[in-house]
Amino acid sequence: MAGRVSLPPGLLDEWELTADGEPWTGFHASVVPVTTADGEPAALKVGLHDNEHLALQHWHGRGAVRLLRADPGRGLLLLERLPGPDLADHWDVEACEVVAGLYRDLHRPAVPQLRRLSSYAGEVAAALVDLSRDVPLPPRLVQQAGLLAARFAADPATDGTLVHTDLHYGNVLAAHRAPWLAIDPKPLSGDPHYEVAPLLWNRYDELSGRVRDGLRARFHAAVDAGGLDEHRARDWVVVRAMDLARQRLADPPGTPRRTPTPALLTMCVSIAKAVQD
Ligand SMILES: Nc1ncnc2c1ncn2[C@@H]1O[C@H](COP(=O)(O)OP(=O)(O)OP(=O)(O)O)[C@@H](O)[C@H]1O
Ligand SMILES: [Mg+2]
């Protein structure tokens, strides 16, 4: 019940909400099903938001869940409640087509308050150059990703489009007013080609025994359905895969993790290789 999630005292009364079922606890946030004063099913998200409200406001419900109310200072979002399910049990290649089919609605001119992807790419380039040659990653891939990141950092096309950046199978829910809608953006002012990588590293374990072909099928499904340039999408996958690996290597020892570090590094290398073989 809502009682197990720590809601600000008095919030339900303040926003005229009634708790309506068990909360979902995501990796970063908790989401409490509620009913509004009008009797509408809604979802109250409590936790960190990475400017989530700015993206949701900008989308106005096109391609994404509708934002009903936000208090970013207190980390609170009231969302339209979607019936689901998500895409976790969908055939993965078709799921990639579904997700990439949302790009057209989501990839609008960015709002100025968002962080620019070029500035992040510059940070990634510097971090990859600084990565010790002793880490268990192929030096050639680390160097390649660093050079690509530096090139993206200097490329005007890297900024300007609102991108979700965490568009994976669990962040797309079935809906009534559209077949599928995105939730949980971590938005940047960026490049649509940045969007593909989470489709490769999520549900990775399912590809056991056919990793390369499975990754390539997902990648091409997303590129084709999203109308993306294959080379630019591939370069971002290489950068994001090596960025994910170096972030893990920078974690303090003992950080609780779903995937052990050796398995995660192997996955990142497989992804960066599969898209360029
Ligand atoms: N508007 C909504 N309608 C219905 N269910 C929702 C809604 N928003 C979130 N959920 C449910 O709550 C879960 C967690 O929400 P969300 O993905 O926004 O948070 P998160 O903690 O940031 O997730 P993640 O684990 O991806 O980091 C979702 O996976 C989904 O099951
Ligand atoms: Mg999520």
Side-chain angles (χ1 to χ4, degrees):
M1 268 316 289
R4 276 198 269 122
V5 175
S6 59
L7 293 177
L11 179 73
L12 293 180
D13 287 345
E14 186 189 328
W15 284 14
E16 297 183 83
L17 303 172
T18 313
D20 185 25
E22 293 292 319
W24 304 280
T25 310
F27 196 63
H28 298 107
S30 294
V31 178
V32 183
V34 293
T35 309
T36 66
D38 302 337
E40 291 296 321
L44 180 62
K45 183 164 174 177
V46 188
L48 291 173
H49 296 307
D50 295 316
N51 281 331
E52 182 171 352
H53 65 294
L54 294 177
L56 294 174
Q57 268 159 8
H58 201 49
W59 286 324
H60 285 293
R62 284 194 55 173
V65 69
R66 249 189 217 113
L67 179 65
L68 306 177
R69 184 168 180 169
D71 184 341
R74 288 193 287 173
L76 298 170
L77 300 180
L78 185 65
L79 306 163
E80 154 193 34
R81 197 195 311 168
L82 303 177
D86 64 20
L87 286 166
D89 297 323
H90 228 77
W91 175 36
D92 65 340
V93 174
E94 197 178 80
C96 289
E97 289 170 359
V98 167
V99 173
L102 294 174
Y103 292 169
R104 201 198 332 205
D105 281 337
L106 300 179
H107 292 160
R108 318 194 70 73
V111 286
Q113 301 96 314
L114 293 175
R115 177 161 193 203
R116 289 168 184 259
L117 178 56
S118 60
S119 112
Y120 184 65
E123 256 177 42
V124 172
L128 289 173
V129 167
D130 287 348
L131 206 61
S132 153
R133 289 185 74 87
D134 299 337
V135 298
L137 293 169
R140 184 191 65 78
L141 272 186
V142 174
Q143 191 189 25
Q144 182 196 16
L147 290 171
L148 289 169
R151 200 185 302 160
F152 281 129
D155 178 354
T158 294
D159 298 326
T161 302
L162 174 55
V163 285
H164 181 295
T165 85
D166 195 22
L167 211 43
H168 61 70
Y169 312 95
N171 281 339
V172 173
L173 301 185
H176 292 309
R177 62 182 177 81
W180 299 98
L181 293 170
I183 61 167
D184 197 17
K186 306 191 171 48
L188 291 174
S189 169
D191 172 351
H193 299 84
Y194 191 73
E195 211 79 284
V196 179
L199 295 171
L200 306 184
W201 63 58
N202 285 280
R203 296 180 59 183
Y204 178 81
D205 292 348
E206 294 169 30
L207 300 176
S208 162
R210 52 178 192 101
V211 169
R212 179 183 170 280
D213 289 349
L215 288 169
R216 290 176 68 82
R218 289 184 187 182
F219 175 76
H220 288 292
V223 164
D224 292 347
L228 300 178
D229 175 76
E230 180 182 337
H231 298 292
R232 200 170 171 92
R234 179 194 65 195
D235 289 350
W236 272 123
V237 167
V238 173
V239 171
R240 290 195 73 175
M242 288 301 103
D243 184 30
L244 186 66
R246 71 95 197 163
Q247 286 181 46
R248 172 58 70 91
L249 289 166
D251 273 353
T255 307
R257 287 297 182 184
R258 285 188 278 216
T259 309
T261 296
L264 183 114
L265 299 183
T266 302
M267 175 186 81
C268 293
V269 170
S270 300
I271 290 172
K273 283 185 173 169
V275 294
Q276 37 183 357
D277 282 350

